[in-house]
Amino acid sequence: MLAQLHEDDAWTRVARSTVYRALETLEGAGLVHAMRTPQAEMRFEWVADQPGHHHVTCDGCGAEVEVPLTSIAGLQREIREQSGFEVSVRHLALRGRCPGCRARIEQGQAAS
């Protein structure tokens, strides 16, 4: 986003802190979702028009895949039954290892 702003001369005076404050406001309003990458970078995604937005992120290489999770309704029901809470799951981020990183780990272990 900052790179796009700096491409347009009219926006070259926009401070980085202003952009991040605007993103925090949008996140508070439920329009964007902030995510920290494995490289400790912040990433923001527009989620306002999406009923559910779910990702799997690789801890090894940072690859990210959006996944449709149809079982969210069952999870919501289970949480309600166990705790009494009515939860709204708009974004779920799961972490793990992608097939490529798993294969590299397995090859490294096999070579040992």
Side-chain angles (χ1 to χ4, degrees), residues 33 35 43 45 47 50 53-57 63-69 91-95:
H33 176 75
M35 249 184 356
R43 197 167 141 232
E45 293 185 318
V47 295
Q50 300 175 13
H53 191 72
H54 315 296
H55 292 95
V56 177
T57 304
E64 184 177 278
V65 177
E66 188 170 334
V67 291
L69 296 177
H91 182 265
L92 180 62
L94 302 169
R95 304 186 70 83

Side-chain angles (χ1 to χ4, degrees), residues 26-82:
L26 291 170
E27 183 181 24
L31 300 174
V32 299
H33 176 75
M35 249 184 356
R36 187 167 299 280
T37 69
Q39 295 77 24
E41 299 170 345
M42 287 303 292
R43 197 167 141 232
F44 294 86
E45 293 185 318
W46 185 258
V47 295
D49 54 355
Q50 300 175 13
H53 191 72
H54 315 296
H55 292 95
V56 177
T57 304
C58 180
D59 288 328
C61 66
E64 184 177 278
V65 177
E66 188 170 334
V67 291
L69 296 177
T70 55
S71 58
I72 292 294
L75 176 62
Q76 290 171 307
R77 186 172 39 258
E78 184 176 342
I79 291 170
R80 184 177 53 246
E81 290 169 359
Q82 291 182 4

Side-chain angles (χ1 to χ4, degrees), residues 71-108:
S71 58
I72 292 294
L75 176 62
Q76 290 171 307
R77 186 172 39 258
E78 184 176 342
I79 291 170
R80 184 177 53 246
E81 290 169 359
Q82 291 182 4
S83 69
F85 275 78
E86 184 76 33
V87 296
S88 172
V89 182
R90 287 185 43 107
H91 182 265
L92 180 62
L94 302 169
R95 304 186 70 83
R97 296 277 180 191
C98 71
C101 286
R102 281 196 338 266
R104 282 189 288 284
I105 289 170
E106 290 168 5
Q107 288 173 352

